[in-house]
Amino acid sequence: MWALILHGGAKEIEPDKADFSRAGCKAALVAGRDILMQGGSAIDAVEAALRVLEDDPTFNCGFGSALHEAGQVEMCSGIMNGATFDVGAVSVIEGVRHPISVAKAMLSEEVILLSGPGARKFAADNGQELCDPADLIVGERPGAHDTVGCVALDSHGLLVAGTSTGGLDGTKVGRVGDAPMPGCGYYADNAVGAVALSGDGEHIARMMLAARIMRGLEHGDPDSAIQTALAQLTMIGGEAGAIALTPDGRFGWMHTSRDFVVAMASSAAPEPHVYLNQTESTR
Ligand code: ASP
């Protein structure tokens, strides 16, 4: 049994941009799914899926990231192994093509999160693809524009969660949101489930939303776990969307943003299912 679900961000997607979001999520899903179908690892599947989204200027990660107040790109990414509790994360990293691959390389380190120039040095020292920071800036984005995340279960029972983001448009230089922080923007525990989020990062972090969803997963179904946590987020404001996966391969996804594009596939239903929002999925 294997399963993978990913999202292209919690936000409002303009109707004429929706197809870009759907196509990007579908391509990413296929990249991750094909690894799982061949018996590959959930770590590789999450990385492969998020790399596709980092290459697609439709999404706010990698190439096409949001620009901070000084007009530059700083990115954050995190990945977690639900068997070992290893976490690899980078924040405010500049000039790398694939933050998720840098985060993955961090999984074997004692340190869980590197930031800024130290994160880029780690990327360089570990053979990660570097680039001119300006090469990540896209003039006119073809579609929607938001953070991405992915959770996967492989045929060995490993659950993995990953995120990648360019942060928020016009934010402060050096700002870190929820995306690289375990328990906030993502978490994975083979015995409980895996979760990844998008939305207002400061709100998500203050409520430790991934941790709240994990707590809900211990006792309930994934949709209810997310719904309960999102209701708690609403108490302090901010909107978000979350995807979740249980150890027995059940999907959950919910959002308080108008849209939250998701794509999913599993060994039970390997053809990609892509939805712009919950309303579309129940039609
Ligand atoms: N959560 C991300 C952040 O705060 C942004 C997003 O999901 O759109 O950096």
Side-chain angles (χ1 to χ4, degrees):
M1 180 178 58
W2 56 265
L4 185 145
I5 180 168
L6 60 84
H7 73 78
K11 67 162 307 199
E12 195 166 322
I13 299 174
E14 294 161 42
D16 60 323
K17 315 285 190 195
D19 286 346
F20 291 103
S21 283
R22 286 184 219 277
C25 285
K26 186 173 176 182
L29 179 87
V30 168
R33 176 199 67 177
D34 288 355
I35 290 174
L36 297 176
M37 266 180 156
Q38 288 157 22
S41 138
I43 295 176
D44 294 337
V46 167
E47 180 196 22
L50 294 186
R51 281 178 70 99
V52 171
L53 297 172
E54 287 176 342
D55 276 336
D56 185 335
T58 301
F59 302 97
N60 172 17
C61 57
F63 177 57
S65 284
L67 306 183
H68 60 46
E69 62 187 357
Q72 301 299 316
V73 166
E74 290 176 345
M75 299 166 290
C76 296
S77 178
I79 187 166
M80 181 162 183
N81 177 326
T84 60
F85 299 96
D86 288 330
V87 170
V90 290
S91 63
V92 291
I93 189 168
E94 296 181 87
V96 297
R97 277 309 289 214
H98 290 293
I100 186 63
S101 295
V102 186
K104 181 187 164 194
M106 286 282 296
L107 279 172
S108 53
E109 297 291 317
E110 182 74 26
V111 169
I112 64 169
L113 202 169
L114 285 175
S115 207
R120 192 168 194 268
K121 178 179 183 306
F122 173 84
D125 291 348
N126 286 273
Q128 297 294 318
E129 192 179 344
L130 305 180
C131 63
D132 187 319
D135 291 348
L136 299 171
I137 299 175
V138 177
E140 181 61 29
R141 293 193 185 89
H145 167 228
D146 223 335
T147 293
V148 300
C150 179
V151 296
L153 169 71
D154 68 26
S155 52
H156 311 285
L158 174 64
L159 277 163
V160 172
T163 61
S164 186
T165 186
L168 301 178
D169 275 313
T171 193
K172 290 190 185 313
V173 174
R175 178 253 182 196
V176 179
D178 60 304
M181 297 200 275
C184 298
Y186 63 106
Y187 203 79
D189 176 345
N190 275 5
V192 178
V195 56
L197 288 116
S198 169
D200 295 315
E202 280 70 13
H203 294 77
I204 293 171
R206 282 155 59 207
M207 293 300 272
M208 297 191 307
L209 221 55
R212 286 175 189 262
I213 295 171
M214 293 298 290
R215 194 167 65 192
L217 284 174
E218 285 179 1
H219 308 291
D221 69 89
D223 280 347
S224 313
I226 296 173
Q227 213 155 21
T228 302
L230 290 179
Q232 290 165 343
L233 182 75
T234 307
M235 292 179 333
I236 63 161
E239 54 182 36
I243 51 175
L245 197 49
T246 61
D248 59 355
R250 284 172 295 139
F251 294 122
W253 63 287
M254 287 281 157
H255 52 102
T256 53
S257 52
R258 197 193 72 180
D259 299 312
F260 186 54
V261 59
V262 297
M264 64 197 87
S266 67
S267 45
E271 284 313 306
H273 286 75
V274 184
Y275 303 107
L276 196 63
N277 49 44
Q278 280 287 349
T279 312
E280 187 176 278
S281 88
T282 51
R283 236 181 250 153

